[in-house]
Amino acid sequence: MAKARRTTHRSSKGTKLYAMRDSKGRFTDIQTYKRAHSADLRRKSKVEESATR
């Protein structure tokens, strides 16, 4: 299973957007960069999780 790929775009208002694509290149989710980035920061990677134990 291939990792989902992210592409950055700009909205009509000029805000930065993240577009998630599936392995076939189709869009699966589009959200603002601000929301997507803050969600990424809240999540911890598997490496970080194991390091805190």
Side-chain angles (χ1 to χ4, degrees):
M1 188 164 163
K3 185 179 170 188
R5 191 175 208 97
R6 276 192 169 160
T7 312
T8 55
H9 299 283
R10 297 232 177 234
S11 71
S12 59
K13 297 206 175 9
T15 57
K16 204 172 192 182
L17 300 173
Y18 258 162
M20 293 286 291
R21 294 175 185 265
D22 62 7
S23 58
K24 293 180 182 175
R26 296 174 301 200
F27 291 123
T28 57
D29 181 34
I30 295 179
Q31 57 184 249
T32 62
Y33 181 88
K34 188 176 182 180
R35 274 188 53 204
H37 183 66
S38 62
D40 286 345
L41 293 178
R42 280 193 299 270
R43 281 188 72 201
K44 290 191 176 192
S45 69
K46 290 178 184 176
V47 175
E48 288 174 325
E49 281 289 328
S50 64
T52 57
R53 290 183 192 185

Coordinates of all heavy atoms in Angstrom, one line a residue:
M1 N 0.8 -1.2 0.0 CA 0.0 0.0 0.0 C 0.9 1.2 0.0 O 1.7 1.4 0.9 CB -0.9 0.0 1.2 CG -1.9 1.0 1.2 SD -3.1 0.6 2.5 CE -3.9 2.1 2.7
A2 N 0.7 2.1 -1.0 CA 1.5 3.3 -1.1 C 1.1 4.4 -0.1 O -0.1 4.5 0.2 CB 1.5 3.8 -2.5
K3 N 2.0 5.2 0.3 CA 1.7 6.3 1.2 C 0.9 7.4 0.5 O 1.2 7.6 -0.7 CB 3.0 6.8 1.8 CG 2.9 7.9 2.8 CD 4.2 8.4 3.3 CE 4.1 9.6 4.1 NZ 5.4 10.2 4.4
A4 N 0.0 8.0 1.1 CA -0.8 9.0 0.5 C 0.1 10.2 0.3 O 1.0 10.6 1.1 CB -2.0 9.4 1.4
R5 N -0.1 10.9 -0.9 CA 0.8 12.0 -1.2 C 0.1 13.3 -1.0 O -1.1 13.4 -1.3 CB 1.2 11.8 -2.7 CG 2.2 12.7 -3.2 CD 2.6 12.4 -4.6 NE 4.0 12.7 -4.8 CZ 5.0 11.9 -4.8 NH1 4.8 10.6 -4.5 NH2 6.2 12.3 -5.0
R6 N 0.8 14.3 -0.5 CA 0.2 15.6 -0.3 C 0.7 16.6 -1.3 O 1.9 16.6 -1.7 CB 0.5 16.1 1.1 CG -0.4 15.6 2.1 CD -0.1 16.4 3.4 NE -1.2 16.0 4.3 CZ -1.1 16.2 5.6 NH1 0.0 16.7 6.1 NH2 -2.1 15.9 6.4
T7 N -0.2 17.4 -1.8 CA 0.1 18.5 -2.8 C -0.4 19.8 -2.2 O -1.5 19.8 -1.7 CB -0.6 18.2 -4.1 OG1 -0.3 16.9 -4.5 CG2 0.0 19.1 -5.2
T8 N 0.4 20.9 -2.3 CA -0.1 22.1 -1.9 C -0.7 22.9 -3.0 O -0.2 22.9 -4.1 CB 1.0 23.0 -1.2 OG1 2.1 23.1 -2.1 CG2 1.5 22.3 0.1
H9 N -1.8 23.6 -2.7 CA -2.5 24.5 -3.6 C -2.8 25.8 -2.9 O -2.6 25.9 -1.7 CB -3.8 23.8 -4.1 CG -3.6 22.6 -4.8 ND1 -3.2 22.5 -6.1 CD2 -3.8 21.3 -4.4 CE1 -3.1 21.2 -6.5 NE2 -3.5 20.5 -5.5
R10 N -3.4 26.7 -3.6 CA -3.9 28.0 -3.0 C -5.4 28.1 -3.3 O -5.9 27.8 -4.4 CB -3.2 29.2 -3.5 CG -1.7 29.1 -3.2 CD -1.3 30.4 -2.5 NE 0.1 30.3 -2.1 CZ 0.5 30.5 -0.9 NH1 -0.3 30.9 0.0 NH2 1.8 30.4 -0.6
S11 N -6.2 28.6 -2.3 CA -7.6 28.8 -2.6 C -7.8 30.1 -3.3 O -6.9 30.9 -3.5 CB -8.3 28.8 -1.2 OG -8.0 30.0 -0.5
S12 N -9.1 30.4 -3.6 CA -9.4 31.6 -4.3 C -9.1 32.8 -3.4 O -8.8 33.9 -3.9 CB -10.8 31.7 -4.8 OG -11.7 31.5 -3.6
K13 N -9.1 32.6 -2.1 CA -8.8 33.7 -1.2 C -7.3 33.8 -0.9 O -6.9 34.7 -0.2 CB -9.6 33.5 0.1 CG -11.1 33.5 -0.1 CD -11.7 33.9 1.2 CE -13.2 34.1 1.2 NZ -14.0 33.7 0.0
G14 N -6.5 32.9 -1.4 CA -5.1 33.0 -1.2 C -4.5 32.1 -0.1 O -3.3 32.1 0.1
T15 N -5.4 31.4 0.6 CA -4.9 30.6 1.7 C -4.3 29.3 1.2 O -4.8 28.8 0.2 CB -6.0 30.3 2.8 OG1 -7.1 29.6 2.1 CG2 -6.5 31.5 3.4
K16 N -3.3 28.8 1.8 CA -2.6 27.6 1.4 C -3.5 26.4 1.7 O -4.1 26.3 2.8 CB -1.3 27.5 2.1 CG -0.2 26.7 1.4 CD 1.1 26.9 2.1 CE 2.2 26.3 1.2 NZ 3.5 26.4 1.9
L17 N -3.5 25.4 0.8 CA -4.3 24.2 1.0 C -3.4 23.0 0.8 O -2.5 23.0 0.1 CB -5.4 24.1 -0.1 CG -6.5 25.2 -0.1 CD1 -7.4 25.1 -1.3 CD2 -7.3 25.3 1.1
Y18 N -3.8 21.9 1.5 CA -3.2 20.6 1.4 C -4.2 19.7 0.7 O -5.4 19.7 1.1 CB -2.9 20.0 2.7 CG -1.5 20.0 3.2 CD1 -1.3 19.8 4.6 CD2 -0.4 20.2 2.4 CE1 0.0 19.8 5.1 CE2 0.8 20.2 2.8 CZ 1.1 20.0 4.2 OH 2.4 20.0 4.7
A19 N -3.8 19.0 -0.3 CA -4.7 18.1 -1.0 C -4.1 16.7 -0.9 O -3.0 16.5 -1.3 CB -4.8 18.4 -2.5
M20 N -4.8 15.8 -0.2 CA -4.4 14.4 -0.1 C -4.8 13.6 -1.3 O -5.9 13.7 -1.8 CB -5.0 13.8 1.1 CG -4.6 14.3 2.5 SD -2.9 13.9 2.9 CE -3.2 12.1 3.2
R21 N -3.8 12.9 -1.9 CA -4.1 12.0 -3.0 C -3.9 10.5 -2.6 O -3.1 10.2 -1.8 CB -3.2 12.3 -4.1 CG -3.3 13.7 -4.7 CD -2.2 13.9 -5.8 NE -2.2 15.3 -6.3 CZ -2.8 15.6 -7.4 NH1 -3.5 14.7 -8.1 NH2 -2.8 16.8 -7.8
D22 N -4.7 9.7 -3.2 CA -4.5 8.2 -3.0 C -3.4 7.7 -3.9 O -2.8 8.5 -4.7 CB -5.8 7.5 -3.1 CG -6.4 7.6 -4.5 OD1 -5.8 8.1 -5.4 OD2 -7.6 7.1 -4.7
S23 N -3.2 6.4 -3.9 CA -2.2 5.8 -4.7 C -2.4 6.0 -6.2 O -1.4 6.0 -7.0 CB -2.0 4.4 -4.4 OG -3.2 3.7 -4.6
K24 N -3.6 6.2 -6.6 CA -4.0 6.4 -8.1 C -3.9 7.8 -8.5 O -4.2 8.2 -9.6 CB -5.3 5.8 -8.4 CG -5.4 4.3 -8.2 CD -6.7 3.7 -8.6 CE -6.7 2.2 -8.3 NZ -8.1 1.7 -8.5
G25 N -3.6 8.7 -7.5 CA -3.5 10.1 -7.9 C -4.8 10.9 -7.7 O -4.8 12.1 -8.0
R26 N -5.9 10.3 -7.2 CA -7.1 11.0 -7.1 C -7.2 11.7 -5.7 O -6.6 11.2 -4.7 CB -8.3 10.0 -7.1 CG -8.4 9.3 -8.5 CD -9.5 8.3 -8.4 NE -9.1 7.3 -7.4 CZ -9.6 6.1 -7.3 NH1 -10.4 5.6 -8.2 NH2 -9.2 5.2 -6.4
F27 N -7.8 12.9 -5.7 CA -8.0 13.6 -4.4 C -8.9 12.9 -3.5 O -9.9 12.4 -3.8 CB -8.5 15.0 -4.7 CG -7.6 15.9 -5.4 CD1 -8.0 16.5 -6.6 CD2 -6.4 16.2 -4.9 CE1 -7.2 17.4 -7.3 CE2 -5.5 17.1 -5.6 CZ -5.9 17.6 -6.8
T28 N -8.4 12.7 -2.2 CA -9.3 12.1 -1.2 C -9.7 13.1 -0.2 O -10.8 13.0 0.4 CB -8.5 11.0 -0.5 OG1 -7.3 11.5 0.1 CG2 -8.2 9.8 -1.4
D29 N -8.9 14.2 0.1 CA -9.3 15.1 1.1 C -8.5 16.4 0.8 O -7.4 16.4 0.4 CB -8.8 14.6 2.5 CG -9.2 15.6 3.6 OD1 -10.2 16.2 3.5 OD2 -8.4 15.6 4.6
I30 N -9.2 17.5 0.9 CA -8.6 18.9 0.8 C -8.9 19.7 2.0 O -10.1 19.8 2.4 CB -9.1 19.6 -0.5 CG1 -8.7 18.8 -1.7 CG2 -8.6 21.0 -0.6 CD1 -9.1 19.4 -3.0
Q31 N -7.9 20.2 2.7 CA -8.1 21.0 3.8 C -7.1 22.1 3.9 O -6.1 22.1 3.1 CB -8.1 20.2 5.1 CG -6.8 19.4 5.3 CD -6.9 18.6 6.6 OE1 -6.2 18.8 7.5 NE2 -7.7 17.5 6.5
T32 N -7.3 23.1 4.7 CA -6.4 24.3 4.8 C -5.1 23.8 5.4 O -5.0 22.9 6.2 CB -6.9 25.4 5.6 OG1 -7.1 25.0 7.0 CG2 -8.2 25.9 5.1
Y33 N -4.0 24.4 4.9 CA -2.7 24.1 5.4 C -2.6 24.2 6.9 O -2.0 23.4 7.6 CB -1.6 25.0 4.7 CG -0.2 24.7 5.1 CD1 0.5 23.7 4.5 CD2 0.4 25.4 6.2 CE1 1.8 23.5 4.8 CE2 1.7 25.1 6.5 CZ 2.4 24.2 5.9 OH 3.7 23.9 6.2
K34 N -3.2 25.3 7.4 CA -3.1 25.6 8.8 C -3.7 24.5 9.7 O -3.1 24.0 10.7 CB -3.9 26.9 9.1 CG -3.8 27.5 10.5 CD -4.5 28.8 10.6 CE -4.4 29.4 11.9 NZ -5.1 30.7 12.0
R35 N -4.9 24.0 9.3 CA -5.5 22.8 10.0 C -4.7 21.6 9.9 O -4.5 20.8 10.8 CB -6.9 22.6 9.5 CG -8.0 23.5 10.1 CD -9.4 23.1 9.7 NE -9.6 21.7 10.0 CZ -10.5 21.0 9.3 NH1 -11.3 21.6 8.4 NH2 -10.7 19.7 9.6
A36 N -4.3 21.3 8.6 CA -3.6 20.0 8.4 C -2.2 20.0 9.2 O -1.8 19.0 9.8 CB -3.3 19.8 6.9
H37 N -1.5 21.1 9.1 CA -0.2 21.3 9.8 C -0.4 21.1 11.3 O 0.4 20.4 11.9 CB 0.4 22.6 9.4 CG 1.8 22.7 10.0 ND1 2.8 21.9 9.6 CD2 2.3 23.6 10.9 CE1 3.9 22.3 10.2 NE2 3.6 23.3 11.0
S38 N -1.4 21.8 11.9 CA -1.5 21.7 13.3 C -1.9 20.3 13.8 O -1.5 19.8 14.8 CB -2.6 22.7 13.8 OG -3.8 22.5 13.3
A39 N -2.7 19.6 12.9 CA -3.1 18.2 13.2 C -1.8 17.3 13.2 O -1.7 16.4 14.0 CB -4.1 17.7 12.2
D40 N -0.9 17.6 12.2 CA 0.3 16.8 12.1 C 1.2 17.0 13.4 O 1.8 16.1 13.9 CB 1.1 17.2 10.9 CG 0.5 16.7 9.6 OD1 -0.3 15.7 9.7 OD2 0.9 17.1 8.5
L41 N 1.2 18.3 13.9 CA 2.0 18.6 15.0 C 1.5 17.9 16.3 O 2.2 17.5 17.2 CB 2.1 20.1 15.3 CG 2.9 20.8 14.2 CD1 2.8 22.3 14.5 CD2 4.3 20.4 14.1
R42 N 0.1 17.8 16.4 CA -0.5 17.1 17.5 C -0.2 15.6 17.6 O -0.1 15.0 18.6 CB -2.0 17.4 17.5 CG -2.4 18.7 18.0 CD -3.9 18.8 18.3 NE -4.7 18.5 17.1 CZ -5.1 19.5 16.3 NH1 -4.8 20.7 16.5 NH2 -5.9 19.2 15.3
R43 N -0.1 15.0 16.4 CA 0.2 13.6 16.3 C 1.6 13.3 16.6 O 2.5 14.1 16.2 CB -0.2 13.0 14.9 CG -1.7 12.8 14.7 CD -1.9 12.1 13.5 NE -1.5 10.7 13.6 CZ -1.2 9.9 12.5 NH1 -1.3 10.4 11.3 NH2 -0.8 8.7 12.7
K44 N 1.9 12.2 17.2 CA 3.3 11.7 17.4 C 3.6 10.6 16.5 O 2.7 9.7 16.2 CB 3.6 11.3 18.8 CG 3.5 12.5 19.8 CD 4.0 12.1 21.1 CE 4.1 13.3 22.0 NZ 4.8 13.1 23.2
S45 N 4.8 10.5 15.9 CA 5.2 9.4 15.1 C 5.5 8.2 15.9 O 5.6 8.2 17.2 CB 6.5 9.8 14.3 OG 7.6 9.9 15.2
K46 N 5.6 7.0 15.3 CA 5.8 5.8 16.0 C 7.2 5.9 16.7 O 7.3 5.3 17.8 CB 5.8 4.6 15.0 CG 4.5 4.3 14.5 CD 4.5 3.2 13.5 CE 3.1 2.9 12.9 NZ 3.1 1.9 11.9
V47 N 8.2 6.5 16.1 CA 9.5 6.7 16.7 C 9.4 7.5 18.0 O 10.0 7.2 19.0 CB 10.5 7.3 15.7 CG1 11.8 7.6 16.4 CG2 10.7 6.4 14.5
E48 N 8.7 8.6 17.9 CA 8.5 9.5 19.1 C 7.7 8.8 20.2 O 8.0 8.9 21.4 CB 7.7 10.8 18.7 CG 8.6 11.7 17.9 CD 7.8 12.9 17.4 OE1 6.6 12.8 17.1 OE2 8.3 14.0 17.4
E49 N 6.7 8.0 19.8 CA 6.0 7.2 20.8 C 6.8 6.2 21.6 O 6.8 6.1 22.8 CB 4.8 6.5 20.2 CG 3.6 7.3 19.8 CD 2.8 7.7 21.0 OE1 2.8 7.0 22.0 OE2 2.3 8.8 21.0
S50 N 7.7 5.5 20.9 CA 8.5 4.5 21.5 C 9.6 5.2 22.3 O 10.1 4.6 23.3 CB 9.1 3.6 20.5 OG 9.9 4.3 19.6
A51 N 10.1 6.4 21.9 CA 11.1 7.1 22.7 C 10.6 7.6 24.0 O 11.4 7.7 25.0 CB 11.7 8.2 21.8
T52 N 9.4 7.9 24.2 CA 8.8 8.4 25.4 C 8.5 7.3 26.4 O 8.3 7.6 27.6 CB 7.6 9.2 25.2 OG1 6.6 8.4 24.5 CG2 7.8 10.5 24.4
R53 N 8.5 6.1 26.0 CA 8.2 4.9 26.9 C 9.4 4.5 27.7 O 10.5 4.6 27.5 CB 7.7 3.8 26.2 CG 6.3 4.1 25.6 CD 5.8 2.9 24.9 NE 4.6 3.3 24.2 CZ 3.8 2.5 23.6 NH1 4.1 1.2 23.5 NH2 2.8 2.9 22.9

